[in-house]
Amino acid sequence: MNSLRAFKTLLRFSFLRLFWSVNTLMVLLPVVGCFLFILRRGFGKMTPPEKAFDAFSTFLVFVFSSFLIPICALGFGTTALGSEREDQTLVFLLTRPIPRWQILLAKILASLPLSCGIVLTSFAVYCVLVGSVGLKAFLIYWPAMLGMAVAYVSLFHLFAVIFRHPTMLALVYALFIELFVGNLPGSIKRLAINYYGRSLIYGLGAAEGLKTPRGFEGIPAAQAYWILAGISGGCLLAAFLLFQWKEYRDSP
Amino acid sequence: MIDLAPSSSNEFDLTFSGVTKFYGAVIGLNDLTCRIGPGITGLLGSNGAGKSTLLKLASGQLRPTQGEVRIGKLKTTSTSAKRLLGYCPDVPNLYEEMTGEEFVRTMCALHGFPDHEVRDRTQAVLQEVGMTDRAKRKIAGCSHGMRQRFKLAQALVHDPQVLLLDEPLTGIDPGGRQEINELLFRLAEKGKSILVSSHILHDIETLADQILVLGRSRLIASGSLAEIRRLLDDQPLLIEIIADDPRSLAAELMAFGQVLGCDIQENRLRVRTKNAPDFYARIQDLVVMGGQRVRQIQSLDEGAEAVFEYLQQGKHSS
């Protein structure tokens, strides 16, 4: 018996289970919706190019990073472990000779390429559709998109470790609490991942003439990167610690 | 310590030492000390008695609040102990999108066996649980009995020393029960320690050499089937009879010394007796010789709840 072989089996099993799930379809639907929106909006035809860059960046702030990235992250991040809990199949993994931290690691490693892959691929496709302005936006913004995707996936894994029905909670969190808290005045908006994502986009886009909207007080891009990395690391660390000690009594 | 192991000590005995488990303020298992060795041990208790808590502690899913659970020298929560354990949980869901064979093969591969061994073990265990011909069927389309067999297969596929089965006979037809019982007998003969839970006394009776009876999170009785039976035989048994003329039947039964009391409701007669075998013989005489028409006889006391009540009463009176 070989522990590494068992881990690889679990990783492969978790990845394929996520990939062939209905979640992939559910995530691809809004991705296709945004594709059609960009086609119709015609960012590439706008003149001057600064206006096109500005309009495309606004789309990235209010649609892509506020809606699509959280949906991709929860579609795979929450369900990697969450579906095992909701379906009461986690018991079959917990009674195998695989350390608990390896079970969670396999679930995270299975969901990250799917979430981040769909986020970056769809972003690249949208940028290609927009044209030269889009390509410029891709080179500037891809680290911000990746950072947000990783932060959301990490947070939603923590949700899955803590809550028995994490998907619904994550959906409510992503679509209501994040947007609501992220747009509140004062320092409370700093509790939302979305706030740091917007700070990054406005910060990175400033060099290309992107103006920060009135009322939004962002933080410098470098600081936003560090905070997103901190959120990701903190959520994952908390998830590992909790998963190591938590007793699951999800079965009836 | 209550010792249900046949020999004085075994390398893979399952040992509970002063185990108490709290769920917040609620107690799940209270001060259990026992040792379970090779052979089949039945775990009897009503719903909420603590059977599942005991099995989850034994399978390392839960940590005891006090005391410890070990297989040999290993704590059951350790990864090494899980190589020695096979656990068949009482959950209705499996990986529904898989076929039975894929499910068992994946569970086997998660033990880290090489591919060829995974393949061989999967085929062998599917044959053992009688599912070779239905192995390619999607689990989503399987009956409860078929799911039970696949669950049993995943618990056996790595050839564990200790097998924990939570209500494994639920939903399985009589023929299937016989096959599974025979499989468990064969495993017991090979020296495996098997702990089978049920809330039906009859399921355990036909299987187990030794029985643990749990009630209200405590171990209330343990020992061989004969010892448990002896405890039960001293207690009255409630039997319900549906008859055409329950009044005359009640009168005839009351003349029989072993009947403690009768209660009539329409055509139903409830009789409390302290000697069930003699009572059943008497009823047979009344039907065959006395011309009484009896439509149905059933014992109302075969469930674990009644057994628990009896044993509790026995404890209080002694």
Side-chain angles (χ1 to χ4, degrees), chain A residues 1-11 13 17 20 83-84 86-100 107 242-252, chain B residues 21-23 52 56 59-64 79-80 82-83 85 87 89-98 103 106-115 151 154-155 157-158:
Chain A
M1 286 184 268
N2 181 310
S3 301
L4 183 62
R5 199 182 290 131
F7 178 75
K8 275 165 36 185
T9 303
L10 180 58
L11 182 58
F13 162 69
R17 192 158 189 255
W20 292 113
S83 66
E84 300 273 2
E86 288 181 0
D87 298 345
Q88 297 171 359
T89 49
L90 185 59
V91 60
F92 294 111
L93 304 183
L94 293 179
T95 50
R96 302 292 130 186
I98 303 174
R100 281 190 168 207
K107 294 292 175 188
L242 280 172
F243 191 66
Q244 189 66 29
W245 292 105
K246 201 166 161 54
E247 293 180 332
Y248 290 99
R249 294 186 289 129
D250 297 338
S251 54
Chain B
K21 178 66 189 173
F22 276 98
Y23 300 117
S52 290
K56 283 179 180 174
S59 60
Q61 293 174 77
L62 300 179
R63 280 180 298 276
T79 306
S80 311
K82 285 173 185 164
R83 292 187 198 283
L85 269 171
Y87 178 55
D90 182 24
V91 292
N93 296 344
L94 308 177
Y95 294 103
E96 303 289 314
E97 71 280 8
M98 289 181 166
F103 170 62
T106 305
M107 293 301 114
C108 183
L110 289 176
H111 280 270
F113 294 114
D115 288 349
K151 275 195 291 183
Q154 65 79 32
V157 74
H158 56 290

Side-chain angles (χ1 to χ4, degrees), chain A residues 68-244:
Chain A
L68 217 62
I69 294 179
I71 291 290
C72 285
L74 84 85
F76 299 113
T78 317
T79 51
L81 185 69
S83 66
E84 300 273 2
R85 294 194 63 185
E86 288 181 0
D87 298 345
Q88 297 171 359
T89 49
L90 185 59
V91 60
F92 294 111
L93 304 183
L94 293 179
T95 50
R96 302 292 130 186
I98 303 174
R100 281 190 168 207
W101 67 267
Q102 283 189 18
I103 295 175
L104 185 59
L105 182 64
K107 294 292 175 188
I108 293 167
L109 292 180
S111 62
L112 268 176
L114 283 168
S115 301
C116 296
I118 291 182
V119 165
L120 287 184
T121 308
S122 57
F123 181 43
V125 170
Y126 299 158
C127 289
V128 169
L129 268 185
V130 170
S132 60
V133 167
L135 293 176
K136 191 198 291 178
F138 183 82
L139 292 173
I140 294 171
Y141 295 137
W142 76 264
M145 303 307 170
L146 184 63
M148 287 179 75
V150 173
Y152 276 118
V153 169
S154 307
L155 178 69
F156 292 149
H157 270 290
L158 180 60
F159 272 42
V161 167
I162 296 172
F163 302 112
R164 184 170 177 173
H165 299 291
T167 311
M168 195 50 74
L169 281 168
L171 196 65
V172 170
Y173 174 82
L175 297 185
F176 297 102
I177 297 174
E178 267 275 317
L179 279 183
F180 178 69
V181 172
N183 286 299
L184 281 177
S187 56
I188 197 159
K189 61 178 173 287
R190 293 179 182 236
L191 292 174
I193 291 174
N194 182 270
Y195 168 75
Y196 301 102
R198 279 190 290 161
S199 292
L200 264 177
I201 293 173
Y202 288 128
L204 296 169
E208 297 298 323
L210 180 68
K211 289 187 181 64
T212 304
R214 217 160 19 154
F216 180 78
E217 296 163 13
I219 56 170
Q223 195 181 340
Y225 271 131
W226 279 109
I227 292 176
L228 280 182
I231 289 171
S232 306
C235 287
L236 289 180
L237 184 67
F240 275 110
L241 288 174
L242 280 172
F243 191 66
Q244 189 66 29

Side-chain angles (χ1 to χ4, degrees), chain B residues 186-250:
Chain B
R186 283 200 302 276
L187 291 168
E189 274 174 22
K190 287 184 195 169
K192 310 282 185 195
S193 304
I194 304 170
L195 184 59
V196 187
S197 85
S198 179
H199 61 280
I200 308 288
L201 177 61
H202 179 72
D203 285 351
I204 296 290
E205 269 184 330
T206 50
L207 259 178
D209 318 311
Q210 302 284 332
I211 296 180
L212 293 170
V213 185
L214 288 181
R216 293 183 194 155
S217 310
R218 276 183 174 277
L219 182 65
I220 55 170
S222 65
S224 68
L225 181 61
E227 286 165 337
I228 300 288
R229 265 282 165 221
R230 213 172 300 134
L231 286 170
L232 294 177
D233 284 347
D234 293 340
Q235 301 298 327
L237 184 71
L238 187 63
I239 294 167
E240 185 178 77
I241 303 165
I242 300 178
D244 285 358
D245 187 0
R247 287 184 185 281
S248 74
L249 180 60

